[in-house]
Amino acid sequence: MTDATVHPLYETYNRAALRFERGEGIWLITDKGERYLDFAAGIAVNALGHNHPHLVTALKDQADKLWHVSNIYEVPGQEKLAKRLTENTFADRVFFTNSGAEALECAIKTARRYHFVNGQPERYRIITFDGAFHGRTLATIAATGQEKYLEGFGPKVDGFDQVPFGDEEALKAAVTNETAGILLEPVQGEGGLRPFTDEMLRAIRQLCDDNGILLIMDEVQSGVGRTGRMFAHEWAGITPDIMAIAKGIGGGFPLGACLATAEASKGMTAGTHGTTYGGNPLAMAVGNAVLDVMLDDEFLPHVQKIALILKQGFASLIDRFPNIVSEVRGRGLLIGLKCVVPNTMLLQAVRDEHMLAVTAGDNVLRLLPPLVTTEEEAREALKRLETAVERLSVANPVKTA
Ligand SMILES: *Cc1c(COP(=O)(O)O)cnc(C)c1O
């Protein structure tokens, strides 16, 4: 080490001075024993909360047997999880990864290979939407398209064209005979919880069909029960050709997946793609345990019920404190409040009430409760949020003319 005064971590995060030691359901407990109500959930990762007994048992049992084998062998846990994922989605095939960005990389490669094996290698371009977030690898920052993620990292990876969010005419105009696919988040997460309308999603599906291009969904944040359906695109009654998932499926264990139809994935033959850790037995044990819980008939109706309670509570806050918050955003438990004051100010006020949330683009405060949040816990969260908003309101009274 050359300079002992330098912090040993990259300074890529402005970290809050909170050190969590333990988790229990929707609660996180600091090294000082303070309890925080966790409506950030590791940014939509801890779908079943912290320390869920079924997940803990699954991981411990697997840890006693086998941690890692190469993907040059058959991995029964992968076959089991892939079978369950395909039985419950549009997809026929799954490729497991360790993260969302890797799932997106696989999705992009799958789309390009599809056209390549169809004899149209010139069709490699992917259309994305502004406000998108697809990850931090070189290709996914190009797909994301925002200058703040691209600056200083050399030439932007070629092959991504961005159109304004929700602009159907611009989208149609952007489709060329080099277009391989359209990539979108059905509800933009980082971008400020902006959902595509169901009509727009159906129109995009039609546009893809009319032009022989692939529809790629990034459901890394919106998927795995988060919006009250297993996947957010289901609300629109359409299916993609390829889908990237991660976050919730691992419940806190690093796990992602790229799902595709047999047709869309036909170019991904032996040797074309690979991963050392993706689909590792520990990850498969946890992923299967997450589905054990989520595939229960009562699970998604519960998510929808909690979402409704929060939405009503948020609406009431907007009525009473229009000087602080102005709009409910999102779908299901991928929900947020558009702020009138800076969202960082509301985030801090909420933290002062020992509750965790996250910011999102467009000055939104994002709330990502664990999907197992009970009615009582949802009301406790609303109470804390209200106290925070009320306190800000006293400090920022409505300006009258
Ligand atoms: C988090 C996220 C990603 C990236 O996932 P990582 O696991 O951080 O690579 C991609 N897309 C969306 C929509 C996300 O929310």
Side-chain angles (χ1 to χ4, degrees):
M1 188 178 264
T2 50
D3 182 349
T5 65
V6 172
H7 195 280
L9 290 172
Y10 264 41
E11 293 177 324
T12 52
Y13 283 96
N14 277 317
R15 295 170 194 271
L18 285 170
R19 291 167 178 254
F20 296 110
E21 223 170 52
R22 278 183 307 124
E24 285 170 16
I26 70 160
W27 300 92
L28 276 173
I29 298 125
T30 67
D31 54 356
K32 299 189 184 83
E34 292 170 327
R35 294 169 71 83
Y36 281 75
L37 196 159
D38 185 13
F39 267 31
I43 314 197
V45 167
N46 301 102
L48 302 184
H50 301 280
N51 216 351
H52 190 286
H54 186 61
L55 271 53
V56 171
T57 304
L59 184 61
K60 282 184 174 167
D61 286 352
Q62 186 60 45
D64 280 337
K65 288 188 233 164
L66 180 65
W67 289 21
H68 176 80
V69 285
S70 168
N71 276 311
I72 62 176
Y73 308 109
E74 292 181 356
V75 183
Q78 287 186 18
E79 288 162 22
K80 181 176 174 191
L81 186 54
K83 185 158 183 289
R84 297 167 95 188
L85 285 171
T86 55
E87 277 170 1
N88 287 282
T89 61
F90 69 95
D92 302 304
R93 288 196 185 113
V94 182
F95 183 92
F96 290 109
T97 68
N98 311 288
S99 67
E102 284 172 280
L104 263 305
E105 288 273 345
C106 180
I108 295 162
K109 287 176 76 173
T110 301
R112 287 184 174 185
R113 272 293 286 195
Y114 168 77
H115 294 290
F116 174 82
V117 298
N118 278 346
Q120 293 185 298
E122 73 284 1
R123 297 185 76 158
Y124 69 92
R125 306 193 68 83
I126 310 271
I127 298 173
T128 66
F129 291 88
D130 77 2
F133 181 78
H134 298 298
R136 300 287 200 152
T137 62
L138 289 170
T140 57
I141 56 175
T144 294
Q146 294 182 45
E147 196 46 41
K148 68 172 176 179
Y149 298 120
L150 287 159
E151 191 187 21
F153 295 119
K156 185 178 155 205
V157 170
D158 183 35
F160 297 93
D161 301 308
Q162 198 156 60
V163 297
F165 181 84
D167 186 336
E168 205 175 324
E169 288 317 305
L171 175 62
K172 281 183 178 154
V175 174
T176 71
N177 51 17
E178 291 186 347
T179 304
I182 297 173
L183 166 62
L184 62 89
E185 298 153 83
V187 183
Q188 287 190 341
E190 306 302 310
L193 303 183
R194 287 194 298 183
F196 279 84
T197 62
D198 293 347
E199 300 77 65
M200 179 79 180
L201 288 180
R202 288 193 281 266
I204 294 172
R205 177 70 269 179
Q206 191 61 49
L207 184 66
C208 288
D209 292 343
D210 292 347
N211 292 278
I213 62 189
L214 299 171
L215 178 54
I216 311 164
M217 293 277 179
D218 178 348
E219 293 237 26
V220 169
Q221 191 158 159
S222 60
V224 203
R226 178 61 47 192
T227 67
R229 298 292 287 267
M230 204 49 154
F231 295 100
H233 66 261
E234 293 171 22
W235 289 108
I238 55 141
T239 58
D241 301 291
I242 304 171
M243 174 169 74
I245 69 170
K247 294 197 168 117
I249 188 64
F253 200 94
L255 171 58
C258 176
L259 285 68
T261 62
E263 174 68 8
S265 60
K266 68 184 180 185
M268 301 302 277
T269 49
T272 55
H273 194 48
T275 167
T276 297
Y277 291 120
N280 154 304
L282 292 170
M284 294 302 99
V286 179
N288 274 306
V290 168
L291 286 192
D292 290 343
V293 177
M294 282 199 192
L295 292 177
D296 186 285
D297 288 343
E298 306 283 307
F299 192 84
L300 294 174
H302 171 80
V303 173
Q304 292 175 22
K305 187 171 78 185
I306 300 303
L308 189 63
I309 292 170
L310 291 179
K311 201 171 170 185
Q312 286 167 345
F314 290 2
S316 147
L317 282 181
I318 288 162
D319 282 349
R320 286 179 296 147
F321 305 102
N323 50 324
I324 306 298
V325 284
S326 62
E327 197 189 328
V328 185
R329 288 282 190 90
R331 193 160 214 174
L333 292 181
L334 182 51
I335 192 170
L337 281 162
K338 168 110 174 138
C339 300
V340 177
V341 296
N343 57 358
T344 48
M345 199 186 260
L346 183 54
L347 177 70
Q348 189 52 53
V350 162
R351 272 191 197 146
D352 292 343
E353 296 308 314
H354 283 196
M355 174 172 164
L356 305 173
V358 256
T359 58
D362 218 12
N363 202 31
V364 167
L365 185 77
R366 188 167 25 154
L367 295 127
L368 299 160
L371 307 183
V372 293
T373 301
T374 64
E375 266 186 71
E376 198 188 339
E377 289 166 338
R379 295 197 198 284
E380 176 62 30
L382 284 171
K383 210 162 78 191
R384 291 180 189 222
L385 187 58
E386 177 175 334
T387 308
V389 169
E390 205 167 5
R391 200 152 29 75
L392 284 185
S393 180
V394 172
N396 300 269
V398 190
K399 287 181 190 72
T400 46

